[in-house]
Amino acid sequence: MHASRKIRVLLVDDHDALRASLRRLVEFLPWAEVVSEAADGEQAVALARALKSDVVLMDLHMPDLDGLAATARLRVEVPKVKVLLVSAQKDPEYLARALAVGAVGFLCKAEEPEVIWSAIAQAAGLRAVTLRHFSGY
């Protein structure tokens, strides 16, 4: 990623209030921008493809195409995009499933803003550190 370009973040959650909260978190960052929002996995795949997003911050549980299935499709259709899955539940099974389908990390929705910011930065390769999985465990 070019140093002067902002990280392009796509927010995906079926709850408007959570998307609004995530938007505020991302907009706080001078090095990131929200390029769009989606309410389901189908929209997420289409928008990530069209907008060339760098990072997709996506809910695990959504109707129709959930975050796991959408992540698997993104790995094939938009392989450069990095997916961070989020869930209200800290379940090791969800973490394992998220990583198995190609997500670069798994976050609990209750994480502190600094953890979410760090995960976005590392997913996009902004920091010169080894990408690690954010699991909250």
Side-chain angles (χ1 to χ4, degrees):
M1 189 181 95
H2 190 271
S4 64
R5 188 173 71 82
K6 290 186 175 191
I7 296 171
R8 299 171 53 80
V9 181
L10 172 62
L11 304 176
V12 186
D13 197 289
D14 57 324
H15 294 98
D16 294 341
L18 184 64
R19 279 198 324 272
S21 294
L22 290 172
R23 177 178 276 281
R24 284 191 298 278
L25 278 175
V26 174
E27 288 177 341
F28 180 81
L29 301 169
W31 43 263
E33 65 179 332
V34 175
V35 293
S36 193
E37 298 180 17
D40 63 47
E42 289 289 346
Q43 290 177 341
V45 172
L47 287 169
R49 188 181 323 110
L51 299 172
K52 299 186 180 4
S53 305
D54 298 309
V55 176
V56 176
L57 193 58
M58 182 162 34
D59 188 16
L60 183 67
H61 300 287
M62 295 180 291
D64 301 321
L65 191 66
D66 69 11
L68 291 170
T71 299
R73 281 191 44 198
L74 285 168
R75 298 309 321 135
V76 172
E77 295 180 33
V78 192
K80 289 186 178 182
V81 73
K82 305 300 183 200
V83 178
L84 292 166
L85 285 171
V86 296
S87 176
Q89 301 170 355
K90 286 185 177 183
D91 184 330
E93 181 181 329
Y94 291 148
L95 169 63
R97 290 172 64 195
L99 298 177
V101 297
V104 297
F106 181 84
L107 296 159
C108 181
K109 290 180 180 180
E111 294 288 0
E112 294 295 321
E114 293 82 6
V115 173
I116 296 170
W117 295 332
S118 182
I120 293 168
Q122 288 191 24
L126 191 63
R127 296 192 180 151
V129 296
T130 302
L131 179 65
R132 59 176 223 168
H133 304 291
F134 287 83
S135 64
Y137 298 104

